Amino acid sequence: MSIIKELEKELCKKVKKLGYPLEEIKFVPSSRPDLGDYQINDAMNLGKILHCNPREIAEKIMKELETDDRLERLNIAGPGFINISLSSKFYLDAANKLLENLENNIDRQPQKKIFIDYGGANIAKTLHVGHLRPADIGEAIKRLTKLLGQEVISDVHFGDIGRQSGMVIYEMKERFPDLVYFKEDYNGEEAELPITKEDLQEIYPTASAKAKENDEVMEIVRDITIKIEEEHPGYTALWNKIKELSKEDIKEIYEKLNTTFDLWEGETDCYPYLPETIDRLKKQNLLYESEGALVVDVKEDTDTEPMPPLVILKGNGGTVYQTRDLATLLSREKRFAPDEVWYFTDNRQELYFKQVFRVAKKGKIVPEPTELKFFGIGTMNDRDGKPFKTRDGGVMSLVNLMELVKEQTLSKINTNLVEDDKKHQTAEQIAIAALKYADLLPCRNKDFIFDINKFADMDGKTGTYLLYSTVRMKSLITKWNQDVNKLKITKLKDISDQEIIKTLLRMPVILTNAYQEKSLNEIAEYLYKLTSTYNKFYAENHILKCEDEELKHSWIALTKIVYDTNKLLLNTLGIEIPEKM
Ligand code: ARG
């Protein structure tokens, strides 16, 4: 448990002894630091519950708390807010506890098994800018959830079936009609794919353009798509090969973004669970025919928005996106029985997931207590407030954006200190860090503008600034060249030292909030706050030149805590720290 939470708990016990029905005491960082470090607002609530004057309650609480020597400068403001500060001794002890173990700055969540679905790349299609945020946010939330003690299983849920499969197979047939997979009597033979990853990136757009212009082509594509869905032997075998090739390509991009999954499954991996999914819906009498398809009603009396029925099977008996999401839920339930399933996808799929969750519950595909949650993600826009486009107006691919970002970063940073053979890798690391930080800083579900001119700046709220400062902390520790693990904090000089410790002690609440909101915004802001607080102190003091050895050691130890904290949080955001910068 975090040091602050422990203190809150102890104080709560004391207040309860006074007979007040109090669940917890919360230290709220003060908006008036001149009056105290924290505010305790719980007397206000008690006043309401007990129909008493909150100020009188606050006075009684204050009297009780005054006996605690860790607390200082207690006073009451307004109708019953208690201002408190913590003693220097408390801050010193707290700093040493953090030095010992950063676990002392983390509040665990009640243990649960959580399944996270994020990423959502589509096979044989180029990853575009819209896939960046679901990857960055999902990955960071996964890491945060693990950090807070949960068991997590992650799945990318590739889009590996649908129109694009028909397009690609159509184009392959045009280009390589003699491929074994196209033989009338195909009987399971294997053949090398005659295309590379690079070819594949161009095949889907080419076919798609052809089909758009020519209805006949579109008809053939439709036919092939249905055949693949019906598992036509040759087409399916070829599509599987293409899937493998495309997965490799996509994995490489995810790897660059430090994003990885426990399961690299796709929509079609649910096929073995389809019959039972449909059976369960039938058993609950939910399926009925509408306009040739089989659908399920999901409307509830309390709905204030339109809630159309959800199509489960097409007229030809074929499955759709949602059928596969439902069967995937059954598969996840049977294999892992998670307590909660979380989806991170762009905001536009909100209604869709509402429908799917209702069908899953009504059809008893997942048990009643299993929580299904959708977390919508806002769009990253260009400076004109519109989605990123290439120069010729097309959708910008993620790889293109990453290249652009690398160029910008390289133009702004100075890599003189870095060995020649590491320059390229370092530049890439910094670029990815800057991009990811800019992506995680806005609230999860808000659209925002990504300013390609500013995001890599050395100053300001950027990944570059954070990395540069963190690397500098490390180099200070290395320069001192003695065993930091033996250090203790025994002395502090002034307010700016204490300000760092105060800021450090805010971390548990920041993590808890981020976890509750499923947004990395507070962590990103906090990293900046902690780093700039430290940098101010760094500028004011020549740490390594300090002649007071005791103070110097304490300062180096303090640097180590901030460095370790930055490392922990950057890692949680999926950001790597370069060796040198
Ligand atoms: N492939 C989908 C897309 O590109 C996202 C998948 C989201 N996850 C899910 N289980 N449906 O929009």
Side-chain angles (χ1 to χ4, degrees):
M1 200 189 321
S2 69
I3 301 164
I4 286 290
K5 180 82 157 235
E6 217 166 288
L7 179 62
E8 286 173 344
K9 283 224 147 125
E10 283 175 34
L11 298 183
C12 183
K13 254 193 215 151
K14 285 192 181 184
V15 174
K16 265 183 164 164
K17 269 198 216 135
L18 298 173
Y20 290 127
L22 203 62
E23 292 287 318
E24 56 174 5
I25 276 193
K26 265 216 154 98
F27 280 16
V28 183
S30 176
S31 48
R32 290 274 313 269
D34 52 320
L35 295 179
D37 299 343
Y38 295 97
Q39 237 172 273
I40 297 178
N41 302 337
D42 301 285
M44 308 300 291
N45 219 2
L46 285 176
K48 250 182 241 152
I49 299 171
L50 302 172
H51 306 290
C52 289
N53 181 351
R55 201 169 166 110
E56 274 167 31
I57 299 177
E59 259 153 31
K60 281 194 187 132
I61 294 178
M62 189 172 87
K63 263 226 158 66
E64 181 61 34
L65 296 187
E66 261 167 353
T67 58
D68 195 307
D69 62 7
R70 292 168 293 187
L71 311 183
E72 275 178 3
R73 291 168 57 209
L74 286 90
N75 61 80
I76 296 174
F81 302 108
I82 309 172
N83 293 309
I84 60 158
S85 297
L86 299 174
S87 70
S88 318
K89 163 102 175 42
F90 176 87
Y91 282 121
L92 206 73
D93 290 346
N96 281 307
K97 280 189 200 149
L98 298 186
L99 188 63
E100 224 166 79
N101 195 343
L102 280 187
E103 286 288 320
N104 293 324
N105 217 14
I106 295 175
D107 289 320
R108 302 264 170 192
Q109 291 291 323
Q111 245 267 278
K112 273 186 195 157
K113 193 195 273 186
I114 298 187
F115 197 105
I116 313 187
D117 178 317
Y118 66 97
N122 297 314
I123 295 291
K125 283 192 185 174
T126 315
L127 259 91
H128 58 79
V129 177
H131 288 109
L132 180 66
R133 292 202 92 202
D136 285 346
I137 293 178
E139 179 69 20
I141 290 293
K142 176 186 80 181
R143 292 175 184 220
L144 174 66
T145 306
K146 278 192 193 166
L147 179 69
L148 299 189
Q150 312 282 41
E151 184 182 343
V152 181
I153 305 145
S154 57
D155 179 23
V156 62
H157 200 71
F158 280 122
D160 62 353
I161 191 76
R163 185 65 53 81
Q164 87 262 34
S165 62
M167 297 271 189
V168 172
I169 300 298
Y170 162 80
E171 187 61 23
M172 288 295 286
K173 204 170 181 176
E174 288 289 296
R175 294 186 195 184
F176 312 100
D178 299 330
L179 216 57
V180 288
Y181 301 104
F182 297 124
K183 278 206 223 152
E184 280 298 326
D185 56 349
Y186 175 75
N187 61 4
E189 301 143 73
E190 287 274 335
E192 284 270 314
L193 273 186
I195 53 162
T196 62
K197 284 187 289 190
E198 290 69 34
D199 299 332
L200 184 57
Q201 284 168 9
E202 153 274 318
I203 286 182
Y204 171 72
T206 306
S208 170
K210 282 188 193 170
K212 229 184 224 161
E213 267 169 28
N214 186 331
D215 289 346
E216 265 167 50
V217 174
M218 188 58 103
E219 221 14 78
I220 305 173
V221 166
R222 264 196 208 113
D223 180 58
I224 298 178
T225 310
I226 292 173
K227 289 209 167 101
I228 299 172
E229 284 173 1
E230 290 167 349
E231 306 199 278
H232 172 285
Y235 292 168
T236 307
L238 177 58
W239 178 238
N240 283 340
K241 278 243 156 205
I242 291 186
K243 274 205 257 187
E244 288 317 310
L245 183 68
S246 175
K247 275 187 192 178
E248 258 176 57
D249 194 28
I250 296 172
K251 268 188 183 177
E252 260 171 44
I253 301 172
Y254 278 136
E255 215 165 90
K256 282 204 172 128
L257 292 169
N258 305 323
T259 298
T260 183
F261 300 88
D262 298 313
L263 308 173
W264 296 86
E265 295 184 0
E267 290 181 34
T268 59
D269 284 292
C270 75
Y271 280 1
Y273 297 87
L274 270 173
E276 187 172 343
T277 304
I278 304 298
D279 273 356
R280 290 196 185 194
L281 296 178
K282 279 188 186 150
K283 217 170 171 184
Q284 302 302 321
N285 272 325
L286 297 173
L287 286 171
Y288 71 94
E289 215 187 294
S290 167
E291 294 170 30
L294 283 180
V295 305
V296 170
D297 273 333
V298 284
K299 203 171 158 34
E300 288 172 7
D301 293 343
T302 48
D303 286 338
T304 51
E305 56 186 346
M307 191 58 74
L310 194 65
V311 173
I312 302 294
L313 291 174
K314 293 188 287 191
N316 64 3
T319 62
V320 272
Y321 184 47
Q322 49 267 33
T323 329
R324 299 187 286 270
D325 256 323
L326 288 163
T328 303
L329 267 172
L330 182 61
S331 151
R332 289 170 182 171
E333 171 57 31
K334 289 201 159 189
R335 294 191 293 158
F336 306 104
D339 297 302
E340 298 189 9
V341 187
W342 300 349
Y343 294 82
F344 288 86
T345 309
D346 86 73
N347 279 327
R348 280 165 296 191
Q349 295 195 34
E350 183 169 6
L351 172 66
Y352 165 76
F353 276 106
K354 232 180 226 166
Q355 294 173 298
V356 168
F357 295 168
R358 286 186 184 180
V359 176
K361 286 285 160 87
K362 282 174 92 171
K364 304 207 183 308
I365 290 166
V366 295
E368 206 40 59
T370 308
E371 288 196 53
L372 305 175
K373 293 180 177 166
F374 167 78
F375 299 105
I377 292 177
T379 317
M380 173 195 256
N381 288 323
D382 206 347
R383 271 173 298 164
D384 56 6
K386 296 195 183 117
F388 268 88
K389 291 264 183 290
T390 52
R391 233 167 261 157
D392 50 23
V395 180
M396 166 107 58
S397 81
L398 189 48
V399 173
N400 280 350
L401 178 77
M402 280 155 78
E403 275 309 312
L404 216 73
V405 158
K406 202 161 91 192
E407 263 169 47
Q408 269 291 324
T409 315
L410 269 173
S411 75
K412 293 206 175 162
I413 56 164
N414 172 348
T415 49
N416 286 347
L417 281 176
V418 181
E419 295 90 350
D420 277 345
D421 59 333
K422 291 216 177 110
K423 271 197 172 38
H424 181 80
Q425 191 203 351
T426 306
E428 189 142 275
Q429 263 178 339
I430 299 170
I432 295 292
L435 178 63
K436 288 189 72 131
Y437 184 77
D439 199 21
L440 295 171
L441 184 62
C443 290
R444 169 187 36 88
N445 57 0
K446 297 259 154 50
D447 294 350
F448 71 101
I449 288 180
F450 177 66
D451 188 337
I452 199 126
N453 287 336
K454 289 212 184 105
F455 83 102
D457 283 355
M458 270 295 195
D459 301 316
K461 256 184 227 171
T462 66
T464 320
Y465 169 78
L466 292 177
L467 288 192
Y468 176 74
S469 311
T470 309
V471 169
R472 194 168 66 178
M473 292 171 205
K474 186 176 168 209
S475 99
L476 183 143
I477 298 167
T478 332
K479 260 192 211 142
W480 183 59
N481 206 16
Q482 290 180 42
D483 188 2
V484 270
N485 295 320
K486 292 198 184 116
L487 285 176
K488 279 256 164 300
I489 298 175
T490 50
K491 194 173 179 179
L492 292 172
K493 198 177 105 194
D494 55 25
I495 328 198
S496 69
D497 311 12
Q498 214 174 73
E499 201 50 44
I500 296 176
I501 304 173
K502 278 184 205 167
T503 310
L504 281 166
L505 291 177
R506 275 179 48 206
M507 186 174 93
V509 177
I510 302 287
L511 294 182
T512 306
N513 287 352
Y515 176 82
Q516 269 155 6
E517 296 296 319
K518 307 290 179 288
S519 172
L520 289 309
N521 155 264
E522 280 197 49
I523 296 183
E525 290 281 358
Y526 174 74
L527 258 166
Y528 176 71
K529 168 89 182 131
L530 177 62
T531 304
S532 49
T533 306
Y534 174 84
N535 281 351
K536 184 168 169 276
F537 152 85
Y538 179 92
E540 284 165 3
N541 301 294
H542 294 284
I543 302 177
L544 290 178
K545 293 205 179 104
C546 175
E547 276 166 13
D548 177 342
E549 282 293 309
E550 202 186 340
L551 190 58
K552 177 160 101 183
H553 287 179
S554 299
W555 278 348
I556 295 169
L558 201 55
T559 304
K560 179 166 184 324
I561 307 175
V562 178
Y563 171 70
D564 285 343
T565 302
N566 273 18
K567 211 164 76 170
L568 177 80
L569 295 180
L570 286 167
N571 181 47
T572 303
L573 297 188
I575 294 175
E576 276 178 13
I577 307 169
E579 280 291 314
K580 283 186 190 163
M581 218 173 134

